[in-house]
Amino acid sequence: MNQLAKQRFFEDITIIDIAEEGKGVAKSDDFVIFVDKGVPGDIADVEVYRRKKNFGEGKITKLKKPSEYRTEAFCEHFGTCGGCKWQHMTYAAQLKFKQKSVADALTRIAKIEVDGIMPIVPSPADKYYRNKLEYTFSNKRWLNDGENRTDDVLNMNALGFHIPGRFDKILDINHCWLQAEPSNTLRNSIREFVLQHGYTFYDLKAHSGALRNLIIRTSSTGETMVIVVFAYADEDEVNKLMAYIDNGFPAITSLLYIINQKKNDTIFDQDVIAYKGPEFIYEEMEGIKFRIGPKSFYQTNSIQALKLYGITRDFAGFKGDELVYDLYTGAGTIANFIARSVKEVVGIEYVPSAIEDAKINSAINNINNTKFFAGDMKDVLAADFVAEHGKPDVIITDPPRAGMHPDVVNRLMEIEGEKIIYVSCNAATQARDLLVLKEKYDTVKIQPVDMFPHTQHVENVILLVLRRS
């Protein structure tokens, strides 16, 4: 280990870049330091608190000269909460570095030219843009500076978000800037009610306590869904809380609850009980309605989702006679969105319940030219499937962060659809897949889209066209 790797304090270090996980990047000779809350252009004294062979992780001990990109964070929970890690950067700077991260990944990993990359599409709203938030009840509240854990009157119950890297600690949230009202009022009112009435909050280690999670979904149509997840609550506790929410917030469209006594928080295998209203709300795009249930997947930034799908449709340049495969179709959002522009859409998705949602979304919109299939993509997208359903003219793929399985990439190379539109929430895994696909496909258009302001995450849409031999 060289001397720099042993060094703990570095003076007058310049932050030169920002890493994928959102930390600032600094260098002292060849030693790289990832600096928490560092902004490119900052000059600061840095303390390294964790080190590996060729890099360290550090924090700013003294900011000597702030970057032109630095700004004041607007949230009282910034720095403790794990969300919105880029609030200390101006939004213009966030867009700049997201664009750069996409270009860097495509150049470095896929080794393709990105001169024609289009300017990133900003989010028109950088606050209150999410349509879904999930909060956790816990009896292990994260203590703020100055709180004494030995104080007998200390209330250790919390309703909020997980502390980064701590599965057992929850930050009690006062105001979250991610979801519009009634989200904050709802959460705070529910917390006040259950504290007053002596409800127990979930203990993750002992697997005890009445209250587990609170999920709030809102839609652009003005509807609200509230799901309360109980663990070991009695019937009286359930009814009292649900009646309180119903009476206090009569505008709630869908009021649901779940009893989950498993050791994990997932609700996909749990029964949902409707206390009031239907078990769904509606979202709408260009007159197409999407039914959103408690377990449905839907893009969490509704306004930007419409832009993302519009770009996908524009990139495809549909004439009306195309057969389209929509891979990782989820609840069939893209498939139903484009269905009126094409001859037929075949959607494939791993989660069976999502496929049922996709079929319902087609039915309620009188869309009759979609087919949906559930199963593991690498198994479903086989030669016999293509032989049965036809060779696609256009393939749309929107995989999870891990990208496509190598078998799926190889199948796309065999199918040789005329166009592939690759929608990705992770430019690095998208670039990895492009490294293979570029043997047969030219990258024609690249369009980053900002779905999540104040975070390092960025979506990217790429149009690939089959090369003429």
Side-chain angles (χ1 to χ4, degrees):
M1 186 182 289
N2 63 35
Q3 190 59 40
L4 282 171
K6 295 176 185 176
Q7 190 173 325
R8 186 175 171 191
F9 294 97
F10 294 80
E11 292 187 348
D12 296 324
I13 289 283
T14 301
I15 310 295
I16 56 172
D17 203 350
I18 199 134
E20 283 178 18
E21 67 274 13
K23 292 185 176 181
V25 181
K27 271 188 174 181
S28 182
D29 292 338
D30 293 330
F31 186 62
V32 177
I33 310 169
F34 295 101
V35 183
D36 189 36
K37 301 184 193 66
V39 176
D42 281 346
I43 299 174
D45 293 345
V46 171
E47 178 186 357
V48 172
Y49 57 82
R50 186 180 295 125
R51 54 172 41 81
K52 297 291 174 69
K53 187 178 180 182
N54 296 317
F55 70 90
E57 294 177 57
K59 62 182 180 181
I60 293 173
T61 56
K62 186 176 182 181
L63 185 60
K64 297 284 188 67
K65 183 185 175 187
S67 165
E68 62 178 308
Y69 304 130
R70 183 175 279 277
T71 189
E72 281 294 316
F74 50 82
C75 179
E76 65 188 280
H77 304 298
F78 175 73
T80 308
C81 175
C84 304
K85 290 181 179 178
W86 278 11
Q87 270 188 36
H88 60 315
M89 271 204 297
T90 63
Y91 188 51
Q94 293 177 34
L95 295 173
K96 172 181 176 171
F97 291 109
K98 289 185 187 199
Q99 174 106 4
K100 182 178 181 295
S101 74
V102 170
D104 286 351
L106 296 177
T107 305
R108 188 181 76 253
I109 301 169
K111 296 177 173 54
I112 61 172
E113 294 293 326
V114 294
D115 294 344
I117 186 170
M118 289 181 275
I120 187 169
V121 177
S123 176
D126 70 338
K127 300 178 184 75
Y128 305 125
Y129 59 81
R130 285 185 68 102
N131 56 41
K132 179 189 176 188
L133 280 182
E134 180 168 344
Y135 301 100
T136 300
F137 291 94
S138 172
N139 66 348
K140 299 286 191 297
R141 180 170 66 86
W142 180 259
L143 296 181
N144 297 308
D145 290 344
E147 290 190 283
N148 187 351
R149 66 180 65 249
T150 59
D151 190 339
D152 290 340
V153 297
L154 200 62
N155 172 28
M156 289 301 293
N157 289 323
L159 175 57
F161 299 128
H162 283 270
I163 292 288
R166 294 296 299 270
F167 77 97
D168 61 333
K169 292 290 184 183
I170 299 296
L171 177 67
D172 206 39
I173 296 294
N174 178 48
H175 186 97
C176 179
W177 295 82
L178 284 173
Q179 190 177 31
E181 288 290 6
S183 185
N184 279 300
T185 305
L186 251 169
R187 183 197 61 252
N188 290 342
S189 299
I190 288 169
R191 178 175 51 223
E192 188 177 342
F193 177 85
V194 296
L195 287 172
Q196 282 179 354
H197 290 81
Y199 283 69
T200 53
F201 287 35
Y202 194 66
D203 187 311
L204 196 60
K205 291 181 179 177
H207 298 290
S208 61
L211 294 162
R212 194 158 185 170
N213 300 99
L214 173 66
I215 303 164
I216 301 172
R217 301 189 85 141
T218 51
S219 76
S220 59
T221 61
E223 296 183 306
T224 303
M225 173 185 286
V226 176
I227 310 146
V228 182
V229 184
F230 295 90
Y232 297 96
D234 61 38
E235 192 175 341
D236 186 48
E237 284 180 316
V238 172
N239 289 331
K240 265 187 185 173
L241 178 54
M242 300 309 286
Y244 168 76
I245 298 170
D246 186 18
N247 293 332
F249 299 89
I252 291 172
T253 322
S254 174
L255 181 54
L256 317 171
Y257 69 92
I258 293 168
I259 309 292
N260 177 17
Q261 296 180 349
K262 297 186 290 101
K263 290 188 176 181
N264 63 62
D265 284 338
T266 57
I267 62 168
F268 290 99
D269 54 353
Q270 300 293 289
D271 293 330
V272 179
I273 302 151
Y275 185 85
K276 186 193 88 169
E279 289 183 29
F280 52 84
I281 57 176
Y282 285 107
E283 189 56 82
E284 192 173 316
M285 283 186 188
E286 292 186 353
I288 302 169
K289 295 177 89 172
F290 296 96
R291 200 169 95 169
I292 312 294
K295 304 174 186 179
S296 298
F297 173 78
Y298 192 80
Q299 286 281 3
T300 50
N301 185 335
S302 302
I303 295 171
Q304 286 299 82
L306 176 57
K307 290 186 182 178
L308 187 74
Y309 300 156
I311 291 162
T312 301
R313 182 176 59 195
D314 292 347
F315 274 19
F318 295 125
K319 296 182 176 67
D321 59 351
E322 291 90 352
L323 169 61
V324 181
Y325 279 16
D326 182 27
L327 311 186
Y328 312 93
T329 190
T333 320
I334 292 179
N336 286 297
F337 182 79
I338 65 165
R340 292 169 181 172
S341 304
V342 302
K343 182 181 177 183
E344 185 176 66
V345 188
V346 175
I348 307 171
E349 167 61 44
Y350 180 72
V351 182
S353 63
I355 287 297
E356 293 311 307
D357 284 343
K359 291 175 180 176
I360 289 166
N361 286 330
S362 287
I364 62 179
N365 290 288
N366 297 313
I367 294 170
N368 303 310
N369 61 334
T370 56
K371 296 177 183 174
F372 296 102
F373 301 90
D376 194 318
M377 192 67 60
K378 63 180 171 51
D379 301 327
V380 174
L381 196 65
D384 56 350
F385 183 91
V386 176
E388 181 179 351
H389 298 286
K391 177 182 173 179
D393 303 294
V394 178
I395 297 169
I396 297 172
T397 181
D398 186 4
R401 286 191 63 77
M404 294 188 285
H405 189 281
D407 291 354
V408 177
V409 178
N410 291 333
R411 287 295 299 128
L412 297 188
M413 294 286 281
E414 292 166 11
I415 293 168
E416 293 188 340
E418 195 67 27
K419 295 176 184 175
I420 296 174
I421 293 93
Y422 192 148
V423 183
S424 172
C425 59
N426 185 342
T429 55
Q430 183 184 46
R432 179 202 66 202
D433 296 341
L434 285 180
L435 190 60
V436 178
L437 293 168
K438 74 174 190 176
E439 293 175 22
K440 288 188 176 182
Y441 286 86
D442 291 322
T443 300
V444 177
K445 290 182 181 178
I446 306 166
Q447 178 63 76
V449 180
D450 185 26
M451 300 287 283
F452 305 108
H454 310 299
T455 76
Q456 68 271 27
H457 302 296
V458 57
E459 298 269 336
N460 191 44
V461 188
I462 289 184
L463 168 62
L464 301 167
V465 176
L466 188 67
R467 194 177 303 121
R468 297 292 177 196
S469 55

